[in-house]
Amino acid sequence: MKRVFPAQALEAREIGIARNEHCVVAQGERREMRAVQFVDMPWLLQPDHPAVAMYAQSQPKKPLGYDLLRFYALGIDAQRISQQLLTEGEPLRQPMDGVSGRLTRINAHTLMREALPAVYQDDGNAVVLTPP
């Protein structure tokens, strides 16, 4: 299986031009992408996850692209972290399941976000991979 990570430039299959494979995966060329592994946010991969389902995902008149949806999810998590900072004085004492991924505090100035590993199946649907 080929592993693909966001922002990792790979050669395009059709014309051999380097491009961001992550964008190709997200923009619906799914049947051609079967068995490709990638990482993304629970906001896009698991809309029924409790951390995601608590936020309404309204349908705007003009559909948002995947980049804006990811940016929106990062904003939700940033708001949750800032609320903790205001109320508790110290964010992420414990790891948090955010809408952008699992958030963990590394030190006083560093937070880590872990995205979900997933793979496209033969039918074109993405399935979240569980760790071994």
Side-chain angles (χ1 to χ4, degrees):
M1 255 185 233
K2 180 169 102 176
R3 285 190 178 266
V4 178
F5 297 96
Q8 183 179 30
L10 300 174
E11 288 188 10
R13 290 172 305 283
E14 304 86 25
I15 53 178
I17 296 175
R19 68 179 180 180
N20 185 331
E21 192 75 20
H22 172 257
C23 291
V24 175
V25 171
Q27 291 174 353
E29 296 180 30
R30 295 180 176 159
R31 295 208 185 273
E32 297 174 12
M33 303 303 286
R34 69 177 159 259
V36 170
Q37 293 184 9
F38 63 100
V39 295
D40 213 330
M41 298 179 171
W43 186 255
L44 298 174
L45 291 174
Q46 294 181 313
D48 56 342
H49 187 281
V52 176
M54 64 192 302
Y55 297 96
Q57 294 190 24
S58 62
Q59 299 298 322
K61 292 179 184 177
K62 181 180 176 186
L64 300 175
Y66 286 104
D67 289 341
L68 284 177
L69 289 171
R70 288 183 188 93
F71 189 61
Y72 184 74
L74 289 170
I76 291 172
D77 284 345
Q79 189 272 333
R80 292 177 67 193
I81 292 167
S82 65
Q83 283 299 111
Q84 283 186 4
L85 183 62
L86 289 172
T87 58
E88 301 171 20
E90 190 175 343
L92 293 178
R93 289 183 181 151
Q94 299 293 319
M96 174 176 75
D97 285 330
V99 298
S100 66
R102 184 137 177 97
L103 303 169
T104 307
R105 182 175 160 185
I106 303 298
N107 59 43
H109 305 289
T110 308
L111 303 177
M112 178 176 68
R113 181 182 64 86
E114 297 175 66
L116 294 173
V119 65
Y120 278 113
Q121 295 183 320
D122 289 338
D123 62 1
N125 291 316
V127 175
V128 174
L129 297 174
T130 55

